[in-house]
Amino acid sequence: IVGRSGSGKSTLVQLLQRYDDPRLGSVTIAGRPVSDFTLDSLRRAVVAVSQKNQLIAATLAENLRLGAPNATEQEIWGVLEVAGLSEEVRAMPEGLDTHAGQNGSALSGGQVQRLCLARALLMRPRVLILDEFTANLNTDLADEIRAALSSAAGQMTIIEITHRLRATA
């Protein structure tokens, strides 16, 4: 979904995740109105990654397991690979045990975004919303991640929201 600032892209995300309900019409997933889902099941099925991501003051592994507490180390490395972050984490002296710092202060903005993308992928959502998720990434890395996501998506629907038409090319 491409549009300039203020065109309603983020409102669409809010409707899909039921942070707001439409006044007219309906929002559906697989033909079912989102209002039929419990909020808990909807939030497991529809996961968003934005440019404003949050991490807790804990290790990378603990941050990744927030949405998937039973994730194996193999699963973690798999999603880090898709997010283009595995090599950087392997190069960190403490690897997955590296502390992210408060709100990811020990990481770059791009690392925080990719860690949050990996966390979302670990949750195995039916719908993955990427809302300006490449804001802190260079174009080549963003393209690599999009290609990896496309290969790994399977049955997952990916909705990318951006104000830059180049991002969808």
Side-chain angles (χ1 to χ4, degrees), residues 5-155:
S5 294
S7 64
K9 300 179 307 291
S10 295
T11 300
L12 179 62
V13 171
Q14 290 176 336
L15 292 171
L16 187 55
Q17 294 184 294
R18 286 212 59 217
Y19 289 112
D20 199 3
D21 288 319
R23 290 186 202 120
L24 296 171
S26 65
V27 178
T28 63
I29 296 176
R32 267 181 76 196
V34 294
S35 58
D36 286 357
F37 292 84
T38 65
L39 286 179
D40 187 50
S41 67
L42 184 64
R43 303 273 159 75
R44 281 194 313 270
V46 180
V47 176
V49 178
S50 73
Q51 61 184 337
K52 300 174 189 171
N53 294 292
Q54 294 187 339
L55 297 177
I56 60 172
T59 68
L60 301 183
E62 290 167 328
N63 272 284
L64 287 165
R65 285 190 175 108
L66 285 174
N70 298 320
T72 66
E73 196 165 310
Q74 182 178 355
E75 290 171 319
I76 287 174
W77 285 112
V79 295
L80 287 172
E81 185 71 31
V82 173
L85 193 56
S86 62
E87 288 181 28
E88 291 172 55
V89 173
R90 279 184 170 68
M92 294 175 182
E94 296 181 61
L96 290 172
D97 291 326
T98 300
H99 280 267
Q102 187 66 37
N103 288 322
S105 61
L107 305 172
S108 72
Q111 287 172 326
V112 169
Q113 281 187 300
R114 289 179 286 150
L115 190 68
C116 290
L117 171 60
R119 179 173 60 200
L121 292 170
L122 208 51
M123 295 172 68
R124 296 187 193 132
R126 290 181 65 179
V127 178
L128 177 64
I129 301 169
L130 305 174
D131 190 359
E132 298 289 351
F133 86 109
T134 62
N136 291 313
L137 305 178
N138 68 52
T139 304
D140 291 338
L141 181 55
D143 290 344
E144 288 173 24
I145 293 170
R146 280 190 190 91
L149 277 169
S150 180
S151 295
Q155 296 296 315

